[in-house]
């Protein structure tokens, strides 16, 4: 690995109803997968500002709270560029989740998360996130992005 791109991923939770907001990605990287909202951090913005912007762009909601809960590094077979993904949880927001050009948002019960339609790493760390456990992970994917060839996970990391 020689460098990494900086990205965000935001999971919106309704704790009272035990539901998580996910979106079907309609274009670009990870198209067809169900995932949290997020994308590349742009020049001149902080990571958290990037997370807020992506949530607004992709689901049309404005985060009231935004808490960093983990960082995942994703690398790929035969690719020197990794993805450093900073993961945030939002529990309160303004607006109504709305379908956009990039994502189709939908609420899922904590007990019915569609892991088979998500990135293979999600089943590892989403349960930690729902349990308020902070984490840092590295997942190395096969070239076709379907299989995790190697993973390393640290939990209870510090702020
Ligand atoms: P464009 O299309 O240029 O506007 P942008 O929205 O900036 O792109 P995008 O959508 O390519 O970025 O970002 C990829 C998103 O996918 C980020 O939120 C991070 C997320 N992601 C990448 N690999 C992932 C993985 N293995 N597991 C996961 N999310 C992943 O849960
Ligand atoms: Na995105
Ligand atoms: Na985006």
């Amino acid at each position: 690995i020689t460098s990494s791109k900086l990205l965000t991923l935001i999971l919106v939770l309704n704790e009272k109803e035990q539901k998580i907001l996910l979106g079907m990605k309609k274009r670009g990287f990870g198209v067809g997968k169900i995932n949290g909202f997020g994308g590349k951090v742009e020049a001149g913005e902080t990571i958290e500002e990037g997370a807020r912007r992506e949530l607004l762009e992709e689901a049309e909601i404005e985060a009231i709270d935004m808490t960093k809960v983990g960082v995942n590094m994703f690398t790929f077979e035969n690719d020197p560029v990794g993805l450093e993904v900073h993961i945030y949880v939002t529990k309160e927001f303004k607006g109504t989740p709305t379908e956009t050009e990039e994502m189709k948002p939908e609420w899922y019960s904590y007990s019915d998360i569609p892991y088979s339609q998500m990135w293979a790493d999600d089943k590892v760390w989403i349960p930690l996130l729902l349990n308020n456990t902070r984490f840092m992970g590295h997942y190395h994917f096969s070239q076709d992005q379907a299989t995790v060839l190697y993973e390393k996970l640290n939990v209870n990391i510090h702020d």
Side-chain angles (χ1 to χ4, degrees):
I1 177 100
T2 56
S3 67
S4 56
K5 290 186 204 166
L6 183 56
L7 295 103
T8 60
L9 185 63
I10 305 93
L11 286 307
V12 178
L13 303 182
N14 180 334
E15 284 195 313
K16 196 168 162 230
E17 294 188 18
Q18 300 271 288
K19 285 185 175 169
I20 184 169
L21 186 69
L22 299 168
M24 205 282 287
K25 197 146 188 303
K26 294 164 66 177
R27 64 164 197 216
F29 190 72
V31 64
K33 287 191 170 74
I34 296 175
N35 204 0
F37 305 92
K40 297 169 204 79
V41 177
E42 293 177 355
E45 68 183 4
T46 64
I47 302 174
E48 184 179 313
E49 284 166 354
R52 289 177 179 278
R53 176 184 50 73
E54 290 285 350
L55 188 60
L56 192 56
E57 284 179 5
E58 297 185 353
E60 296 187 355
I61 57 175
E62 195 183 322
I64 293 171
D65 62 311
M66 179 70 80
T67 304
K68 187 178 293 191
V69 296
V71 180
N72 283 332
M73 176 68 77
F74 300 114
T75 55
F76 302 89
E77 222 177 0
N78 301 316
D79 187 344
V81 182
L83 306 179
E84 177 186 323
V85 181
H86 291 242
I87 301 175
Y88 291 85
V89 165
T90 288
K91 296 182 180 176
E92 284 191 89
F93 59 86
K94 288 183 209 161
T96 305
T98 301
E99 182 171 354
T100 62
E101 274 186 17
E102 186 156 345
M103 292 285 245
K104 186 175 194 290
E106 214 172 304
W107 291 101
Y108 294 86
S109 294
Y110 289 177
S111 58
D112 201 19
I113 296 175
Y115 289 118
S116 67
Q117 298 170 70
M118 299 171 74
W119 282 97
D121 50 282
D122 292 15
K123 67 172 87 61
V124 176
W125 57 265
I126 287 182
L128 298 173
L129 175 149
L130 297 179
N131 197 29
N132 293 308
T133 301
R134 294 172 50 85
F135 56 89
M136 185 179 287
H138 178 188
Y139 303 85
H140 186 59
F141 278 88
S142 59
Q143 204 160 350
D144 65 4
Q145 303 168 6
T147 311
V148 176
L149 302 173
Y150 161 91
E151 70 181 77
K152 175 92 172 73
L153 177 66
N154 284 281
V155 297
N156 298 319
I157 61 158
H158 305 279
D159 275 314

